[in-house]
């Protein structure tokens, strides 16, 4: 389960923020900025942050043309297969709504788009993990298997 999601400019202006509950302990996004984004580590898209007894995994995507960073935060013990697809879909959807020339500093209307995308990706991941149901064997096949 995703704990937090943020969209911010490379200059540090937070445009959109969503949290399931409270903000994760230890400011993992701040640590991501300090340790990875400012150093411009090429090719990295995952960062682990440990704060006391809590450990978080952060995955991110950038939109270089618009200068945006999209970050998803979740507990390290979880394996969320849908996060990469969620980041890609949110990047594409937000890029359509974002206008860098406007004086708009926040995008609260993106909440509906984000939650719909999140639910769709969670449902898609659950469908991939669900066991495939097999039809029962025909009577003749079961009789042959018993011999």
């Amino acid at each position: 389960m995703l704990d937090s999601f943020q969209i911010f400019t490379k200059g540090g202006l937070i445009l959109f923020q969503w949290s399931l509950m409270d903000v994760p302990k230890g400011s993992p996004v701040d640590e991501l900025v300090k340790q990875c984004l400012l150093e411009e580590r090429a090719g990295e898209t995952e960062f682990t942050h440990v704060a006391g007894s809590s450990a978080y995994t952060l995955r991110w995507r950038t939109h270089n043309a618009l200068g945006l960073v999209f970050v998803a935060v979740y507990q390290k013990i979880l394996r969320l297969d849908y996060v990469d697809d969620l980041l890609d879909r949110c990047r594409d959807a937000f890029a359509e709504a974002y206008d860098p020339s406007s004086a708009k500093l926040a995008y609260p209307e993106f909440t509906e788009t984000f939650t719909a995308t999140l639910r769709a990706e969670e449902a898609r991941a659950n469908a991939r993990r669900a066991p495939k149901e097999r039809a029962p064997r025909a009577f003749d096949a079961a009789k042959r298997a018993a011999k």
Side-chain angles (χ1 to χ4, degrees):
M1 183 172 282
L2 199 64
D3 287 343
S4 177
F5 188 87
Q6 284 188 8
I7 302 171
F8 55 91
T9 64
K10 288 186 177 180
L13 180 66
I14 297 174
L15 300 172
F16 175 77
Q17 185 171 358
W18 175 89
S19 292
L20 181 63
M21 294 171 61
D22 294 330
V23 177
K25 297 177 187 176
S27 302
V29 176
D30 291 345
E31 289 300 315
L32 168 72
V33 170
K34 289 177 191 173
Q35 295 184 18
C36 293
L37 298 179
L38 289 177
E39 294 178 9
E40 295 184 9
R41 295 182 183 175
E44 289 188 25
T45 59
E46 184 172 313
F47 173 71
T48 302
H49 174 69
V50 179
S53 62
S54 301
Y56 296 99
T57 299
L58 289 82
R59 296 189 71 89
W60 71 91
R61 294 286 187 278
T62 58
H63 193 295
N64 291 329
L66 296 175
L68 300 175
V69 180
F70 301 79
V71 181
V73 181
Y74 57 95
Q75 293 180 11
K76 185 179 179 193
I77 60 172
L78 301 175
R79 183 172 171 247
L80 301 181
D81 298 332
Y82 63 86
V83 172
D84 290 330
D85 293 333
L86 175 70
L87 286 166
D88 292 337
R89 291 184 194 281
C90 286
R91 178 182 58 194
D92 296 342
F94 193 81
E96 291 177 14
Y98 180 64
D99 183 12
S101 63
S102 75
K104 195 170 184 181
L105 300 177
Y107 289 81
E109 66 276 3
F110 189 69
T111 303
E112 286 183 31
T113 305
F114 173 74
T115 54
T117 306
L118 177 62
R119 300 296 173 243
E121 290 302 324
E122 286 176 340
R124 191 174 294 131
N126 288 336
R128 284 190 299 246
R129 271 189 253 126
K132 297 187 175 44
E133 294 185 27
R134 294 183 184 171
R137 289 192 225 174
F139 179 73
D140 293 338
K143 192 174 184 181
R144 272 187 264 141
K147 289 183 181 179

